[in-house]
Short mmCIF file of all heavy atoms in Angstrom, two decimals:
data_model
loop_
_atom_site.label_atom_id
_atom_site.label_comp_id
_atom_site.label_asym_id
_atom_site.label_seq_id
_atom_site.Cartn_x
_atom_site.Cartn_y
_atom_site.Cartn_z
N PRO A 1 29.17 -35.14 5.85
CA PRO A 1 29.86 -34.72 7.10
C PRO A 1 28.83 -34.35 8.20
O PRO A 1 29.06 -34.63 9.38
CB PRO A 1 30.68 -33.53 6.70
CG PRO A 1 30.69 -33.44 5.26
CD PRO A 1 29.60 -34.30 4.71
N GLY A 2 27.74 -33.70 7.79
CA GLY A 2 26.75 -33.29 8.80
C GLY A 2 26.09 -34.49 9.51
O GLY A 2 25.77 -34.47 10.67
N THR A 3 25.86 -35.52 8.70
CA THR A 3 25.19 -36.70 9.22
C THR A 3 26.11 -37.47 10.26
O THR A 3 25.69 -37.92 11.23
CB THR A 3 24.80 -37.68 8.11
OG1 THR A 3 23.97 -36.96 7.18
CG2 THR A 3 24.07 -38.86 8.62
N VAL A 4 27.41 -37.47 9.91
CA VAL A 4 28.38 -38.10 10.80
C VAL A 4 28.45 -37.35 12.12
O VAL A 4 28.49 -37.94 13.19
CB VAL A 4 29.78 -38.18 10.11
CG1 VAL A 4 30.82 -38.67 11.07
CG2 VAL A 4 29.69 -39.06 8.85
N VAL A 5 28.47 -36.01 12.04
CA VAL A 5 28.51 -35.20 13.28
C VAL A 5 27.28 -35.43 14.12
O VAL A 5 27.31 -35.57 15.32
CB VAL A 5 28.71 -33.69 12.92
CG1 VAL A 5 28.54 -32.85 14.15
CG2 VAL A 5 30.08 -33.47 12.29
N ALA A 6 26.10 -35.44 13.45
CA ALA A 6 24.84 -35.65 14.18
C ALA A 6 24.85 -37.05 14.84
O ALA A 6 24.38 -37.20 15.92
CB ALA A 6 23.69 -35.52 13.22
N CYS A 7 25.37 -37.99 14.12
CA CYS A 7 25.41 -39.35 14.67
C CYS A 7 26.39 -39.42 15.86
O CYS A 7 26.02 -40.08 16.90
CB CYS A 7 25.87 -40.36 13.57
SG CYS A 7 25.80 -42.07 14.09
N ALA A 8 27.50 -38.73 15.78
CA ALA A 8 28.45 -38.69 16.88
C ALA A 8 27.81 -37.98 18.10
O ALA A 8 28.04 -38.40 19.24
CB ALA A 8 29.73 -37.99 16.46
N VAL A 9 27.09 -36.93 17.87
CA VAL A 9 26.45 -36.20 18.97
C VAL A 9 25.40 -37.08 19.62
O VAL A 9 25.27 -37.14 20.82
CB VAL A 9 25.81 -34.87 18.42
CG1 VAL A 9 24.93 -34.24 19.46
CG2 VAL A 9 26.90 -33.91 18.04
N CYS A 10 24.62 -37.81 18.77
CA CYS A 10 23.64 -38.76 19.31
C CYS A 10 24.29 -39.83 20.18
O CYS A 10 23.79 -40.12 21.29
CB CYS A 10 22.88 -39.41 18.16
SG CYS A 10 21.57 -38.40 17.47
N CYS A 11 25.38 -40.33 19.74
CA CYS A 11 26.12 -41.36 20.50
C CYS A 11 26.59 -40.79 21.84
O CYS A 11 26.51 -41.43 22.89
CB CYS A 11 27.29 -41.94 19.70
SG CYS A 11 26.75 -42.97 18.31
N ALA A 12 27.18 -39.59 21.79
CA ALA A 12 27.67 -38.93 23.01
C ALA A 12 26.51 -38.66 24.00
O ALA A 12 26.65 -38.89 25.19
CB ALA A 12 28.37 -37.63 22.70
N LEU A 13 25.36 -38.21 23.50
CA LEU A 13 24.24 -37.98 24.34
C LEU A 13 23.70 -39.30 24.93
O LEU A 13 23.28 -39.31 26.13
CB LEU A 13 23.11 -37.27 23.56
CG LEU A 13 23.40 -35.82 23.20
CD1 LEU A 13 22.41 -35.31 22.17
CD2 LEU A 13 23.40 -34.93 24.45
N TRP A 14 23.71 -40.33 24.15
CA TRP A 14 23.23 -41.61 24.64
C TRP A 14 24.14 -42.08 25.79
O TRP A 14 23.69 -42.61 26.80
CB TRP A 14 23.21 -42.67 23.51
CG TRP A 14 22.72 -44.01 23.98
CD1 TRP A 14 23.45 -45.14 24.01
CD2 TRP A 14 21.41 -44.30 24.41
NE1 TRP A 14 22.62 -46.16 24.46
CE2 TRP A 14 21.41 -45.64 24.73
CE3 TRP A 14 20.27 -43.59 24.62
CZ2 TRP A 14 20.28 -46.37 25.19
CZ3 TRP A 14 19.13 -44.24 25.11
CH2 TRP A 14 19.15 -45.56 25.41
N VAL A 15 25.46 -41.93 25.62
CA VAL A 15 26.40 -42.38 26.65
C VAL A 15 26.15 -41.48 27.93
O VAL A 15 26.14 -42.05 29.07
CB VAL A 15 27.85 -42.28 26.19
CG1 VAL A 15 28.84 -42.41 27.34
CG2 VAL A 15 28.10 -43.32 25.12
N ALA A 16 25.94 -40.24 27.74
CA ALA A 16 25.62 -39.37 28.92
C ALA A 16 24.35 -39.84 29.61
O ALA A 16 24.36 -39.91 30.87
CB ALA A 16 25.54 -37.91 28.47
N PHE A 17 23.36 -40.15 28.85
CA PHE A 17 22.07 -40.60 29.45
C PHE A 17 22.31 -41.89 30.18
O PHE A 17 21.82 -42.11 31.31
CB PHE A 17 21.04 -40.77 28.36
CG PHE A 17 19.69 -41.15 28.86
CD1 PHE A 17 18.92 -40.20 29.45
CD2 PHE A 17 19.20 -42.46 28.71
CE1 PHE A 17 17.62 -40.54 29.94
CE2 PHE A 17 17.98 -42.83 29.24
CZ PHE A 17 17.15 -41.84 29.84
N LEU A 18 23.05 -42.82 29.64
CA LEU A 18 23.39 -44.11 30.27
C LEU A 18 24.13 -43.88 31.58
O LEU A 18 23.91 -44.58 32.59
CB LEU A 18 24.19 -45.01 29.39
CG LEU A 18 23.39 -45.60 28.20
CD1 LEU A 18 24.34 -46.44 27.32
CD2 LEU A 18 22.18 -46.44 28.65
N LEU A 19 25.04 -42.89 31.58
CA LEU A 19 25.83 -42.63 32.87
C LEU A 19 24.88 -42.13 33.95
O LEU A 19 25.00 -42.54 35.11
CB LEU A 19 26.91 -41.62 32.56
CG LEU A 19 28.07 -42.14 31.74
CD1 LEU A 19 29.07 -41.03 31.37
CD2 LEU A 19 28.81 -43.26 32.47
N VAL A 20 23.92 -41.22 33.58
CA VAL A 20 22.97 -40.73 34.56
C VAL A 20 22.12 -41.88 35.08
O VAL A 20 21.85 -42.01 36.23
CB VAL A 20 22.12 -39.57 33.94
CG1 VAL A 20 20.98 -39.21 34.86
CG2 VAL A 20 22.92 -38.40 33.64
N ALA A 21 21.65 -42.71 34.16
CA ALA A 21 20.79 -43.83 34.53
C ALA A 21 21.55 -44.80 35.45
O ALA A 21 21.01 -45.32 36.38
CB ALA A 21 20.24 -44.56 33.30
N GLN A 22 22.78 -45.13 35.09
CA GLN A 22 23.60 -46.00 35.90
C GLN A 22 23.81 -45.49 37.33
O GLN A 22 23.71 -46.24 38.27
CB GLN A 22 24.94 -46.27 35.22
CG GLN A 22 25.83 -47.25 36.01
CD GLN A 22 25.25 -48.65 36.10
OE1 GLN A 22 24.49 -49.09 35.30
NE2 GLN A 22 25.62 -49.32 37.21
N ARG A 23 24.04 -44.20 37.45
CA ARG A 23 24.27 -43.62 38.74
C ARG A 23 22.97 -43.80 39.60
O ARG A 23 23.04 -44.08 40.75
CB ARG A 23 24.57 -42.13 38.63
CG ARG A 23 24.75 -41.48 40.01
CD ARG A 23 25.23 -40.09 39.87
NE ARG A 23 26.67 -40.15 39.59
CZ ARG A 23 27.41 -39.09 39.58
NH1 ARG A 23 26.95 -37.95 39.80
NH2 ARG A 23 28.69 -39.20 39.35
N ARG A 24 21.82 -43.60 38.99
CA ARG A 24 20.55 -43.78 39.68
C ARG A 24 20.29 -45.20 40.10
O ARG A 24 19.82 -45.51 41.19
CB ARG A 24 19.37 -43.23 38.82
CG ARG A 24 18.04 -43.27 39.52
CD ARG A 24 18.05 -42.38 40.75
NE ARG A 24 16.77 -42.47 41.42
CZ ARG A 24 16.57 -42.08 42.66
NH1 ARG A 24 17.53 -41.54 43.36
NH2 ARG A 24 15.40 -42.18 43.22
N ILE A 25 20.66 -46.13 39.17
CA ILE A 25 20.46 -47.52 39.46
C ILE A 25 21.34 -47.95 40.68
O ILE A 25 20.89 -48.69 41.58
CB ILE A 25 20.81 -48.39 38.23
CG1 ILE A 25 19.74 -48.23 37.19
CG2 ILE A 25 20.97 -49.90 38.59
CD1 ILE A 25 20.12 -48.82 35.84
N VAL A 26 22.56 -47.47 40.70
CA VAL A 26 23.43 -47.75 41.83
C VAL A 26 22.90 -47.21 43.10
O VAL A 26 22.88 -47.87 44.16
CB VAL A 26 24.87 -47.25 41.53
CG1 VAL A 26 25.75 -47.31 42.77
CG2 VAL A 26 25.53 -48.04 40.41
N THR A 27 22.36 -45.98 43.08
CA THR A 27 21.76 -45.35 44.25
C THR A 27 20.55 -46.15 44.71
O THR A 27 20.40 -46.35 45.90
CB THR A 27 21.32 -43.89 43.92
OG1 THR A 27 22.52 -43.22 43.49
CG2 THR A 27 20.75 -43.25 45.16
N LEU A 28 19.76 -46.60 43.83
CA LEU A 28 18.53 -47.39 44.20
C LEU A 28 18.92 -48.71 44.81
O LEU A 28 18.22 -49.24 45.66
CB LEU A 28 17.61 -47.59 42.98
CG LEU A 28 16.94 -46.33 42.47
CD1 LEU A 28 16.24 -46.64 41.15
CD2 LEU A 28 15.94 -45.78 43.48
N ALA A 29 19.99 -49.30 44.32
CA ALA A 29 20.42 -50.64 44.80
C ALA A 29 21.10 -50.60 46.16
O ALA A 29 21.17 -51.60 46.86
CB ALA A 29 21.39 -51.27 43.83
N ARG A 30 21.57 -49.45 46.57
CA ARG A 30 22.33 -49.35 47.82
C ARG A 30 21.50 -49.36 49.06
O ARG A 30 21.94 -49.74 50.13
CB ARG A 30 23.20 -48.10 47.83
CG ARG A 30 24.39 -48.26 46.96
CD ARG A 30 25.36 -47.12 47.20
NE ARG A 30 26.48 -47.31 46.32
CZ ARG A 30 27.30 -46.32 45.91
NH1 ARG A 30 27.04 -45.04 46.31
NH2 ARG A 30 28.29 -46.57 45.13
N SER A 31 20.27 -48.96 49.00
CA SER A 31 19.40 -48.84 50.19
C SER A 31 18.02 -49.25 49.85
O SER A 31 17.57 -49.17 48.70
CB SER A 31 19.47 -47.43 50.77
OG SER A 31 18.87 -46.54 49.93
N ALA A 32 17.29 -49.62 50.92
CA ALA A 32 15.90 -49.98 50.74
C ALA A 32 15.02 -48.77 50.45
O ALA A 32 14.01 -48.82 49.76
CB ALA A 32 15.39 -50.66 52.00
N ARG A 33 15.44 -47.61 50.99
CA ARG A 33 14.68 -46.40 50.75
C ARG A 33 15.66 -45.28 50.26
O ARG A 33 16.15 -44.53 51.10
CB ARG A 33 13.99 -45.97 52.00
CG ARG A 33 13.17 -44.74 51.79
CD ARG A 33 11.98 -44.68 52.70
NE ARG A 33 11.18 -43.58 52.28
CZ ARG A 33 10.01 -43.42 52.64
NH1 ARG A 33 9.41 -44.25 53.51
NH2 ARG A 33 9.31 -42.37 52.23
N PRO A 34 15.94 -45.22 48.98
CA PRO A 34 16.89 -44.20 48.50
C PRO A 34 16.29 -42.81 48.56
O PRO A 34 15.12 -42.60 48.62
CB PRO A 34 17.13 -44.66 47.05
CG PRO A 34 15.90 -45.31 46.67
CD PRO A 34 15.37 -46.02 47.93
N ALA A 35 17.24 -41.86 48.52
CA ALA A 35 16.87 -40.46 48.50
C ALA A 35 16.21 -40.10 47.14
O ALA A 35 16.37 -40.84 46.16
CB ALA A 35 18.08 -39.62 48.70
N PRO A 36 15.30 -39.11 47.12
CA PRO A 36 14.75 -38.68 45.83
C PRO A 36 15.82 -38.29 44.82
O PRO A 36 16.92 -37.96 45.17
CB PRO A 36 13.91 -37.48 46.21
CG PRO A 36 13.75 -37.51 47.67
CD PRO A 36 14.92 -38.30 48.22
N LEU A 37 15.41 -38.41 43.62
CA LEU A 37 16.35 -38.05 42.49
C LEU A 37 16.70 -36.59 42.54
O LEU A 37 15.82 -35.73 42.61
CB LEU A 37 15.70 -38.32 41.11
CG LEU A 37 16.48 -38.10 39.90
CD1 LEU A 37 17.67 -39.06 39.83
CD2 LEU A 37 15.66 -38.28 38.65
N PRO A 38 18.02 -36.32 42.67
CA PRO A 38 18.41 -34.88 42.79
C PRO A 38 18.02 -34.10 41.53
O PRO A 38 17.99 -34.66 40.38
CB PRO A 38 19.96 -34.96 42.88
CG PRO A 38 20.22 -36.34 43.31
CD PRO A 38 19.12 -37.16 42.78
N ALA A 39 17.73 -32.82 41.68
CA ALA A 39 17.26 -32.02 40.55
C ALA A 39 18.31 -31.95 39.45
O ALA A 39 17.95 -31.97 38.28
CB ALA A 39 16.97 -30.55 41.07
N ARG A 40 19.58 -31.99 39.82
CA ARG A 40 20.65 -31.89 38.75
C ARG A 40 20.61 -33.18 37.91
O ARG A 40 20.74 -33.06 36.66
CB ARG A 40 21.97 -31.78 39.50
CG ARG A 40 23.10 -31.52 38.53
CD ARG A 40 24.41 -31.26 39.29
NE ARG A 40 25.46 -31.08 38.31
CZ ARG A 40 26.72 -30.81 38.66
NH1 ARG A 40 27.01 -30.70 39.94
NH2 ARG A 40 27.63 -30.70 37.79
N GLN A 41 20.44 -34.30 38.50
CA GLN A 41 20.41 -35.55 37.75
C GLN A 41 19.12 -35.65 36.91
O GLN A 41 19.15 -36.11 35.75
CB GLN A 41 20.51 -36.79 38.65
CG GLN A 41 21.87 -37.08 39.13
CD GLN A 41 21.98 -38.28 39.97
OE1 GLN A 41 20.97 -38.77 40.45
NE2 GLN A 41 23.17 -38.87 40.15
N ALA A 42 17.99 -35.18 37.47
CA ALA A 42 16.78 -35.24 36.73
C ALA A 42 16.83 -34.29 35.49
O ALA A 42 16.39 -34.62 34.42
CB ALA A 42 15.58 -34.80 37.63
N THR A 43 17.45 -33.13 35.72
CA THR A 43 17.56 -32.19 34.61
C THR A 43 18.51 -32.74 33.50
O THR A 43 18.20 -32.61 32.33
CB THR A 43 18.15 -30.83 35.13
OG1 THR A 43 17.26 -30.34 36.15
CG2 THR A 43 18.31 -29.83 34.01
N ALA A 44 19.56 -33.38 33.97
CA ALA A 44 20.48 -33.99 32.96
C ALA A 44 19.80 -35.11 32.19
O ALA A 44 19.95 -35.20 30.94
CB ALA A 44 21.71 -34.56 33.68
N ALA A 45 18.96 -35.87 32.80
CA ALA A 45 18.26 -36.93 32.16
C ALA A 45 17.30 -36.42 31.12
O ALA A 45 17.18 -36.86 29.97
CB ALA A 45 17.59 -37.90 33.13
N VAL A 46 16.57 -35.39 31.55
CA VAL A 46 15.57 -34.73 30.64
C VAL A 46 16.26 -34.07 29.44
O VAL A 46 15.80 -34.25 28.32
CB VAL A 46 14.67 -33.77 31.42
CG1 VAL A 46 13.85 -32.92 30.47
CG2 VAL A 46 13.77 -34.49 32.40
N LEU A 47 17.33 -33.36 29.71
CA LEU A 47 18.07 -32.70 28.60
C LEU A 47 18.62 -33.70 27.64
O LEU A 47 18.59 -33.46 26.44
CB LEU A 47 19.10 -31.75 29.17
CG LEU A 47 18.62 -30.54 29.88
CD1 LEU A 47 19.79 -29.76 30.46
CD2 LEU A 47 17.83 -29.66 28.89
N CYS A 48 19.13 -34.80 28.14
CA CYS A 48 19.69 -35.86 27.21
C CYS A 48 18.58 -36.48 26.47
O CYS A 48 18.76 -36.67 25.20
CB CYS A 48 20.41 -36.89 28.07
SG CYS A 48 22.01 -36.44 28.66
N ALA A 49 17.49 -36.70 27.09
CA ALA A 49 16.31 -37.34 26.27
C ALA A 49 15.83 -36.41 25.22
O ALA A 49 15.55 -36.83 24.05
CB ALA A 49 15.23 -37.71 27.23
N VAL A 50 15.69 -35.12 25.49
CA VAL A 50 15.18 -34.18 24.51
C VAL A 50 16.20 -34.00 23.40
O VAL A 50 15.85 -33.95 22.19
CB VAL A 50 14.87 -32.82 25.22
CG1 VAL A 50 14.55 -31.74 24.18
CG2 VAL A 50 13.64 -33.00 26.16
N ALA A 51 17.46 -33.86 23.77
CA ALA A 51 18.48 -33.71 22.77
C ALA A 51 18.58 -34.94 21.84
O ALA A 51 18.79 -34.81 20.62
CB ALA A 51 19.84 -33.45 23.42
N LEU A 52 18.45 -36.09 22.41
CA LEU A 52 18.46 -37.32 21.63
C LEU A 52 17.28 -37.37 20.61
O LEU A 52 17.40 -37.71 19.49
CB LEU A 52 18.36 -38.58 22.50
CG LEU A 52 19.69 -39.07 23.08
CD1 LEU A 52 19.42 -40.12 24.13
CD2 LEU A 52 20.60 -39.63 21.99
N ALA A 53 16.11 -36.90 21.06
CA ALA A 53 14.94 -36.83 20.17
C ALA A 53 15.19 -35.88 19.03
O ALA A 53 14.87 -36.13 17.90
CB ALA A 53 13.66 -36.47 20.98
N VAL A 54 15.78 -34.73 19.35
CA VAL A 54 16.09 -33.73 18.33
C VAL A 54 17.12 -34.28 17.33
O VAL A 54 16.94 -34.13 16.12
CB VAL A 54 16.59 -32.41 18.96
CG1 VAL A 54 17.16 -31.49 17.90
CG2 VAL A 54 15.46 -31.74 19.76
N CYS A 55 18.14 -34.95 17.81
CA CYS A 55 19.17 -35.53 16.95
C CYS A 55 18.54 -36.59 16.05
O CYS A 55 18.84 -36.72 14.89
CB CYS A 55 20.29 -36.07 17.75
SG CYS A 55 21.42 -34.79 18.40
N ALA A 56 17.69 -37.44 16.68
CA ALA A 56 17.05 -38.47 15.88
C ALA A 56 16.19 -37.92 14.80
O ALA A 56 16.22 -38.40 13.65
CB ALA A 56 16.24 -39.38 16.84
N ALA A 57 15.46 -36.88 15.13
CA ALA A 57 14.64 -36.25 14.11
C ALA A 57 15.45 -35.63 12.96
O ALA A 57 15.16 -35.69 11.77
CB ALA A 57 13.76 -35.16 14.69
N ALA A 58 16.60 -35.07 13.36
CA ALA A 58 17.47 -34.49 12.36
C ALA A 58 18.09 -35.55 11.45
O ALA A 58 18.29 -35.31 10.29
CB ALA A 58 18.60 -33.71 13.02
N LEU A 59 18.37 -36.75 12.00
CA LEU A 59 18.93 -37.79 11.16
C LEU A 59 17.90 -38.37 10.25
O LEU A 59 18.23 -38.78 9.13
CB LEU A 59 19.51 -38.90 12.12
CG LEU A 59 20.82 -38.61 12.78
CD1 LEU A 59 21.14 -39.69 13.82
CD2 LEU A 59 21.91 -38.46 11.80
N VAL A 60 16.66 -38.41 10.68
CA VAL A 60 15.55 -39.00 9.83
C VAL A 60 15.23 -38.02 8.67
O VAL A 60 14.97 -38.52 7.60
CB VAL A 60 14.36 -39.35 10.74
CG1 VAL A 60 13.16 -39.68 9.85
CG2 VAL A 60 14.67 -40.43 11.70
N VAL A 61 15.20 -36.77 8.97
CA VAL A 61 14.80 -35.78 7.96
C VAL A 61 15.81 -35.50 7.00
O VAL A 61 16.75 -35.63 6.57
CB VAL A 61 14.33 -34.46 8.60
CG1 VAL A 61 14.07 -33.39 7.58
CG2 VAL A 61 13.10 -34.75 9.49
#
C-alpha cells in the first residue's frame, strides 16, 4: 500500500510540474519578450522537482 501511495503522489507531482511548465511555455509563446518567471511559479516548479526527487528515492529504496 505504501508503494502505491508513493507512486500516486509522484504522478500527482508530475502533473503539477507539467501544468507549471505548460503555463510558462504558453507565456513564452505569446510575446517576443515575455515577462520574467513569477516567483510563485518558480517556487512551484522547484518544490515539484524536489518532491519528485524525494518520491523517486523513496520508491527506489
Side-chain angles (χ1 to χ4, degrees):
T3 305
V4 174
V5 171
C7 187
V9 169
C10 281
C11 289
L13 289 168
W14 181 247
V15 169
F17 185 76
L18 289 177
L19 290 173
V20 171
Q22 180 63 28
R23 178 174 283 189
R24 184 62 181 163
I25 289 168
V26 169
T27 301
L28 291 172
R30 284 189 180 157
S31 66
R33 183 151 189 168
L37 183 64
R40 186 174 179 180
Q41 284 183 341
T43 302
V46 168
L47 288 176
C48 284
V50 169
L52 276 170
V54 169
C55 285
L59 285 173
V60 170
V61 173

